[in-house]
Amino acid sequence: MTRAAWRLGIGAAGLLVVLPGASLAAQTPYLRGTDAVSIGRSGAGVAYGRSLEAGALNPALLVTLQDERSAYLSLGMETQSSSSTLQSNSLKLFTTDRNRALPAMGAAWKLSPTFALGIKLDTPVLRHGTLPEEASSRFYWEGLDLGVHRLEVQGSWALSEKLSLGLGLGLARISYASDVSVRAIVPEDGSQAYNASTNPAVAMVEESLHQTATKTTGCYSLGLRYAINPRWTLGASYTKILKADLSLSASTNDRTPSVSGVYLNDPVPAGVDASVAAVVAGSHATAGSGSVEIPGVATLGVRHRFNQIFTWELDLRYTQGASFKLPSQPGLYTPSGQVSAPVAEGGYRNALGVSLMGEITFTKRLTGRIGMAMDGATVDAQAVDPVVGGLASSAFSLGMGYKTWGGELNVGVQARLSKDTDSSRLAMDWDLGGPRTISGKTRVEGTGYTWAVGFRRSF
C-alpha cells in the first residue's frame, strides 16, 4: 500500500511539474490560503473535512473536526518580483520591494456534535513592487503596495451527518500605496505659468509621486459541505467583494528631481537650473481619488479519499475580476497648472481557476503534500503592467507535516508563476506635448514564492 502511494505521489509530482511550462513566469496577487498546510496544498481544500486549516477556506468544515479544541499558528514569507525588458535595447529592469511577512492563525471550538465556532487570520491579497526610474512604463505605474489582512469569526452547523453550513464574519484591513512619475513644463520664469509666447518652455522636470491610505471594512465568507459517502465529499465557499473608499495622502518621493530628456532649446539658455528650482519649489503633490475593490471568489471542490494513505482534492474557482478597481494616480500641481499621469486603457474581467492537491500519509507521524493551481487572466494581454499584474498564472507547491511535541509541525513551499507577455503600450516618452506611446514591445516577466512553517495542536 505504501509503495502504491509513493507511485501516485511521484506521478502527480511529474504531472504538476510539466503543467506550468517554461512560458510561465509572474504571480497572481491572490493567495489561496496563507498557512503552511494550505500553501503545501496550493490552496485546495474547501471539501477537505477534519482539517482545521481547510476551515480557513470553508467555515462549514469546522463542525467535522474530531478534536473539541484545536489551534494553529503559522509564519512565513512571500516574495514577488517582476521585470520589464524593452526589446529595442534588451535592457531588463527588475522591481524592488519584494518581500512581505506572511502570518496566519486559526482556532476551533466544537461546542456540540452539530455546532462549532472558529476564528481565522489570513492574508488573501498581496501585490507589491517598485520599478527603477529607467523603466519607461513608470508614467503608468512606478510602484504599487496592496495588501489585505483579514480576521473572521466563524460558525459551523451540521444539519445532518452529511450536510453542514458555515458562516464567517469579520474585518479586512486594506492597505494601499502607489507611485508614479510625471513630467512638468519648465518655462523661462519658473515661478510663473507657461505661455508659448511670453514665457516659453526651456526644459521639463520629472518628479516621482507617492500616495498612501489604509481602510478597514467588513467581510464575510459562506461555506457548504456535503458528504456523498465516506470516500467522496463536495464543498463550496464564497468570499465577498471587498470595497473601501480611501482618503489618500500624497507626497513627492525622496528622489532628486531630474531634467528629463533633452533641453528644449539649443544652445541651452543660461539660468535653466534656476527655472527648474523655481518650478519644483512652486509645486506640490496632489492625491488621486477612488476606491480599492477586491474581487469576490466562489469555489467548488470535490475530495476523494482514495485509500487510508492517499487523498486528493480538485477545486474550481470563479474570480469576479471585473470588479477589481484601484484609485487614480497622484498628480503634481505646478505654477503652470495640474499635471496628471496617463490612464492605462483596458479593463478587468472575470476568470476561472483550478487547484489540485494530493496528501499522502507515509507513516503515523509523517504526511506529504503536493499541489498545483492555475488561474485565468483578469486583464487583457495588451493592458498588462509589470507593477499591477493580472495575467494567467500557475503555482506549484510541496509540503510536509510531522507529528511531534504533542501536535503537528507543518512546512509548505510554493512557486507562483504567470504567463510571460509582450506589450506594445509600455514603451513611453513624455515631451512638451505630453505622455505618448512610442514604437517598440516590452516583455513582462516575473516570479514569486511563498513559504511558511506552522504548528497545530489539539487541547
Side-chain angles (χ1 to χ4, degrees):
M1 191 72 73
T2 303
R3 184 177 299 175
W6 271 105
R7 291 174 179 173
L8 284 169
I10 293 172
L15 176 62
L16 296 176
V17 168
V18 171
L19 281 174
S23 65
L24 296 174
Q27 67 288 4
T28 171
Y30 310 113
L31 302 176
R32 318 297 183 184
T34 54
D35 61 86
V37 173
S38 296
I39 289 174
R41 294 172 176 170
S42 278
V46 296
Y48 209 105
R50 299 185 178 180
S51 170
L52 176 59
E53 288 85 357
L57 305 174
N58 181 0
L61 301 178
L62 295 176
V63 77
T64 69
L65 299 177
Q66 292 180 307
D67 301 309
E68 292 185 1
R69 294 180 299 274
S70 56
Y72 69 85
L73 182 65
S74 176
L75 182 62
M77 183 72 68
E78 186 267 355
T79 302
Q80 55 183 266
S81 173
S82 296
S83 69
S84 58
T85 307
L86 190 63
Q87 293 184 354
S88 61
N89 57 16
S90 299
L91 179 63
K92 194 167 190 174
L93 302 172
F94 291 89
T95 58
T96 56
D97 188 27
R98 299 177 179 180
N99 304 319
R100 292 292 184 274
L102 205 61
M105 60 84 66
W109 299 265
K110 194 168 183 180
L111 304 181
S112 74
T114 60
F115 180 67
L117 285 175
I119 188 171
K120 73 167 184 180
L121 171 69
D122 65 353
T123 306
V125 175
L126 280 177
R127 182 69 186 181
H128 48 90
T130 301
L131 287 169
E133 58 185 282
E134 298 90 349
S136 63
S137 63
R138 67 190 183 277
F139 301 126
Y140 287 129
W141 290 91
E142 185 176 356
L144 175 66
D145 187 357
L146 175 63
V148 177
H149 301 281
R150 180 174 56 190
L151 177 67
E152 282 188 0
V153 176
Q154 302 167 300
S156 180
W157 296 264
L159 304 184
S160 68
E161 291 185 359
K162 292 186 175 183
L163 178 64
S164 63
L165 302 177
L167 170 67
L169 296 173
L171 297 172
R173 181 70 167 176
I174 299 175
S175 59
Y176 173 81
S178 71
D179 300 88
V180 70
S181 288
V182 300
R183 289 181 175 179
I185 296 173
V186 178
E188 286 183 350
D189 184 353
S191 64
Q192 302 297 317
Y194 160 72
N195 185 287
S197 301
T198 61
N199 194 19
V202 293
M204 297 193 74
V205 63
E206 182 174 316
E207 286 267 35
S208 176
L209 309 176
H210 177 79
Q211 66 179 6
T212 184
T214 59
K215 185 71 175 287
T216 300
T217 185
C219 61
Y220 70 80
S221 59
L222 303 174
L224 177 147
R225 172 187 175 272
Y226 180 73
I228 301 172
N229 57 46
R231 291 187 178 274
W232 290 90
T233 306
L234 292 176
S237 69
Y238 175 75
T239 58
K240 78 174 290 276
I241 296 172
L242 299 178
K243 183 177 181 180
D245 296 319
L246 302 180
S247 297
L248 294 155
S249 59
S251 61
T252 55
N253 280 316
D254 294 331
R255 194 175 88 189
T256 303
S258 61
V259 178
S260 56
V262 180
Y263 291 102
L264 301 179
N265 296 322
D266 188 19
V268 178
V272 170
D273 290 342
S275 299
V276 171
V279 170
V280 172
S283 302
H284 64 270
T286 59
S289 61
S291 62
V292 168
E293 193 164 325
I294 306 298
V297 180
T299 307
L300 176 66
V302 57
R303 175 203 183 195
H304 179 216
R305 189 181 183 190
F306 185 77
N307 53 34
Q308 298 293 331
I309 295 175
F310 181 72
T311 301
W312 63 268
E313 178 166 340
L314 176 70
D315 288 359
L316 299 177
R317 281 186 304 278
Y318 179 75
T319 301
Q320 296 173 292
S323 66
F324 183 72
K325 292 180 182 178
L326 295 174
S328 60
Q329 293 283 32
L332 185 69
Y333 189 82
T334 74
S336 298
Q338 179 74 12
V339 179
S340 300
V343 178
E345 297 181 359
Y348 299 93
R349 64 192 187 197
N350 301 329
L352 294 174
V354 60
S355 291
L356 174 66
M357 61 79 64
E359 190 163 289
I360 306 172
T361 302
F362 293 114
T363 68
K364 290 182 178 181
R365 288 181 174 268
L366 181 63
T367 300
R369 302 180 182 100
I370 188 170
M372 63 85 62
M374 301 185 74
D375 287 277
T378 55
V379 65
D380 293 332
Q382 284 303 307
V384 69
D385 189 280
V387 172
V388 181
L391 288 171
S393 62
S394 67
F396 171 74
S397 65
L398 293 171
M400 183 189 71
Y402 185 75
K403 292 181 180 179
T404 183
W405 303 325
E408 184 174 75
L409 181 66
N410 293 289
V411 178
V413 180
Q414 183 184 64
R416 301 164 52 237
L417 316 162
S418 78
K419 187 177 181 180
D420 297 349
T421 299
D422 293 329
S423 173
S424 59
R425 72 171 187 88
L426 296 178
M428 296 191 68
D429 192 16
W430 194 325
D431 54 23
L432 194 61
R436 59 187 175 87
T437 302
I438 60 178
S439 177
K441 290 188 176 182
T442 303
R443 170 63 61 90
V444 178
E445 300 175 87
T447 189
Y449 300 93
T450 59
W451 63 266
V453 177
F455 185 73
R456 179 180 68 242
R457 184 167 182 176
S458 301
F459 302 96

